[in-house]
Short mmCIF file of all heavy atoms in Angstrom, two decimals:
data_model
loop_
_atom_site.label_atom_id
_atom_site.label_comp_id
_atom_site.label_asym_id
_atom_site.label_seq_id
_atom_site.Cartn_x
_atom_site.Cartn_y
_atom_site.Cartn_z
N PRO A 65 -107.20 170.24 42.96
CA PRO A 65 -107.41 171.20 44.05
C PRO A 65 -107.44 172.63 43.51
O PRO A 65 -106.74 172.95 42.55
CB PRO A 65 -106.19 170.97 44.95
CG PRO A 65 -105.70 169.61 44.61
CD PRO A 65 -106.00 169.42 43.16
N PRO A 66 -108.23 173.49 44.10
CA PRO A 66 -108.32 174.87 43.61
C PRO A 66 -107.07 175.67 43.96
O PRO A 66 -106.42 175.44 44.98
CB PRO A 66 -109.54 175.42 44.35
CG PRO A 66 -109.62 174.61 45.60
CD PRO A 66 -109.15 173.24 45.22
N ALA A 67 -106.78 176.65 43.10
CA ALA A 67 -105.67 177.56 43.38
C ALA A 67 -106.15 178.75 44.19
O ALA A 67 -105.35 179.42 44.84
CB ALA A 67 -105.04 178.04 42.07
N GLU A 68 -107.45 179.04 44.15
CA GLU A 68 -107.99 180.20 44.86
C GLU A 68 -108.21 179.88 46.33
O GLU A 68 -108.20 178.72 46.76
CB GLU A 68 -109.29 180.66 44.20
CG GLU A 68 -110.36 179.59 44.14
CD GLU A 68 -111.51 179.99 43.23
OE1 GLU A 68 -112.02 181.12 43.40
OE2 GLU A 68 -111.90 179.17 42.38
N SER A 69 -108.46 180.90 47.10
CA SER A 69 -108.60 180.75 48.54
C SER A 69 -109.93 180.09 48.91
O SER A 69 -110.90 180.13 48.15
CB SER A 69 -108.51 182.11 49.22
OG SER A 69 -109.66 182.89 48.91
N ALA A 70 -109.96 179.54 50.12
CA ALA A 70 -111.19 178.94 50.62
C ALA A 70 -112.30 179.98 50.73
O ALA A 70 -113.47 179.69 50.48
CB ALA A 70 -110.93 178.30 51.98
N GLU A 71 -111.94 181.21 51.08
CA GLU A 71 -112.94 182.27 51.18
C GLU A 71 -113.54 182.61 49.82
O GLU A 71 -114.75 182.83 49.69
CB GLU A 71 -112.32 183.53 51.80
CG GLU A 71 -113.25 184.72 51.89
CD GLU A 71 -114.50 184.46 52.72
OE1 GLU A 71 -114.52 183.49 53.52
OE2 GLU A 71 -115.46 185.24 52.58
N SER A 72 -112.71 182.64 48.79
CA SER A 72 -113.20 182.91 47.44
C SER A 72 -114.16 181.81 46.99
O SER A 72 -115.21 182.09 46.39
CB SER A 72 -112.03 183.01 46.46
OG SER A 72 -112.50 183.16 45.13
N ILE A 73 -113.84 180.58 47.29
CA ILE A 73 -114.71 179.46 46.95
C ILE A 73 -116.03 179.56 47.69
O ILE A 73 -117.11 179.33 47.13
CB ILE A 73 -114.00 178.12 47.26
CG1 ILE A 73 -112.82 177.94 46.32
CG2 ILE A 73 -114.97 176.95 47.15
CD1 ILE A 73 -111.94 176.77 46.67
N ARG A 74 -115.97 179.93 48.99
CA ARG A 74 -117.19 180.07 49.78
C ARG A 74 -118.08 181.17 49.22
O ARG A 74 -119.31 181.01 49.12
CB ARG A 74 -116.84 180.40 51.23
CG ARG A 74 -118.04 180.35 52.17
CD ARG A 74 -117.74 181.02 53.50
NE ARG A 74 -117.63 182.46 53.35
CZ ARG A 74 -118.69 183.28 53.26
NH1 ARG A 74 -119.92 182.80 53.32
NH2 ARG A 74 -118.51 184.58 53.11
N VAL A 75 -117.48 182.30 48.82
CA VAL A 75 -118.25 183.40 48.26
C VAL A 75 -118.97 182.96 46.98
O VAL A 75 -120.17 183.24 46.80
CB VAL A 75 -117.34 184.62 47.98
CG1 VAL A 75 -118.07 185.66 47.13
CG2 VAL A 75 -116.89 185.25 49.30
N LYS A 76 -118.26 182.26 46.10
CA LYS A 76 -118.88 181.79 44.86
C LYS A 76 -120.00 180.79 45.15
O LYS A 76 -121.03 180.79 44.47
CB LYS A 76 -117.83 181.15 43.96
CG LYS A 76 -116.89 182.15 43.30
CD LYS A 76 -115.91 181.45 42.38
CE LYS A 76 -114.98 182.45 41.72
NZ LYS A 76 -113.99 181.78 40.82
N ARG A 77 -119.79 179.95 46.15
CA ARG A 77 -120.82 178.97 46.52
C ARG A 77 -122.10 179.69 46.96
O ARG A 77 -123.21 179.35 46.54
CB ARG A 77 -120.32 178.07 47.63
CG ARG A 77 -121.33 176.98 48.05
CD ARG A 77 -120.85 176.20 49.25
NE ARG A 77 -119.54 175.63 49.04
CZ ARG A 77 -118.48 175.86 49.82
NH1 ARG A 77 -118.58 176.69 50.85
NH2 ARG A 77 -117.32 175.29 49.56
N MET A 78 -121.95 180.71 47.81
CA MET A 78 -123.11 181.44 48.29
C MET A 78 -123.77 182.24 47.17
O MET A 78 -125.00 182.37 47.12
CB MET A 78 -122.72 182.36 49.45
CG MET A 78 -122.36 181.62 50.73
SD MET A 78 -123.71 180.56 51.37
CE MET A 78 -123.13 178.92 50.87
N GLN A 79 -122.97 182.79 46.26
CA GLN A 79 -123.54 183.49 45.11
C GLN A 79 -124.36 182.53 44.25
O GLN A 79 -125.43 182.89 43.74
CB GLN A 79 -122.42 184.12 44.27
CG GLN A 79 -121.76 185.32 44.92
CD GLN A 79 -120.55 185.81 44.14
OE1 GLN A 79 -119.94 185.07 43.35
NE2 GLN A 79 -120.18 187.08 44.36
N TYR A 80 -123.85 181.31 44.11
CA TYR A 80 -124.58 180.31 43.34
C TYR A 80 -125.93 180.00 43.99
O TYR A 80 -126.98 180.01 43.33
CB TYR A 80 -123.76 179.03 43.20
CG TYR A 80 -124.56 177.87 42.67
CD1 TYR A 80 -124.75 177.71 41.30
CD2 TYR A 80 -125.16 176.96 43.53
CE1 TYR A 80 -125.52 176.67 40.80
CE2 TYR A 80 -125.93 175.91 43.04
CZ TYR A 80 -126.10 175.78 41.68
OH TYR A 80 -126.87 174.75 41.20
N HIS A 154 -112.78 167.62 44.57
CA HIS A 154 -112.57 169.03 44.90
C HIS A 154 -113.64 169.90 44.25
O HIS A 154 -113.36 171.01 43.80
CB HIS A 154 -111.18 169.48 44.43
CG HIS A 154 -110.05 168.70 45.02
ND1 HIS A 154 -109.58 168.93 46.31
CD2 HIS A 154 -109.31 167.68 44.52
CE1 HIS A 154 -108.58 168.10 46.56
NE2 HIS A 154 -108.39 167.33 45.50
N VAL A 155 -114.86 169.41 44.21
CA VAL A 155 -115.90 170.10 43.44
C VAL A 155 -116.18 171.50 44.00
O VAL A 155 -116.25 171.70 45.22
CB VAL A 155 -117.19 169.25 43.39
CG1 VAL A 155 -117.93 169.22 44.72
CG2 VAL A 155 -118.09 169.75 42.26
N ARG A 156 -116.28 172.45 43.10
CA ARG A 156 -116.61 173.82 43.48
C ARG A 156 -117.19 174.56 42.28
O ARG A 156 -116.95 174.18 41.12
CB ARG A 156 -115.41 174.59 44.02
CG ARG A 156 -114.34 175.01 43.00
CD ARG A 156 -113.28 173.96 42.84
NE ARG A 156 -112.16 174.40 42.01
CZ ARG A 156 -111.22 173.56 41.56
NH1 ARG A 156 -111.27 172.25 41.82
NH2 ARG A 156 -110.21 174.03 40.84
N VAL A 157 -117.97 175.58 42.57
CA VAL A 157 -118.57 176.42 41.53
C VAL A 157 -117.51 177.36 40.97
O VAL A 157 -116.75 177.99 41.73
CB VAL A 157 -119.75 177.23 42.09
CG1 VAL A 157 -120.29 178.20 41.05
CG2 VAL A 157 -120.85 176.29 42.57
#
Side-chain angles (χ1 to χ4, degrees):
E68 58 191 310
S69 69
E71 177 60 18
S72 175
I73 293 171
R74 189 195 70 79
V75 168
K76 287 182 180 179
R77 182 186 305 123
M78 291 301 103
Q79 288 174 337
Y80 168 83
H154 301 282
V155 72
R156 73 270 188 191
V157 174

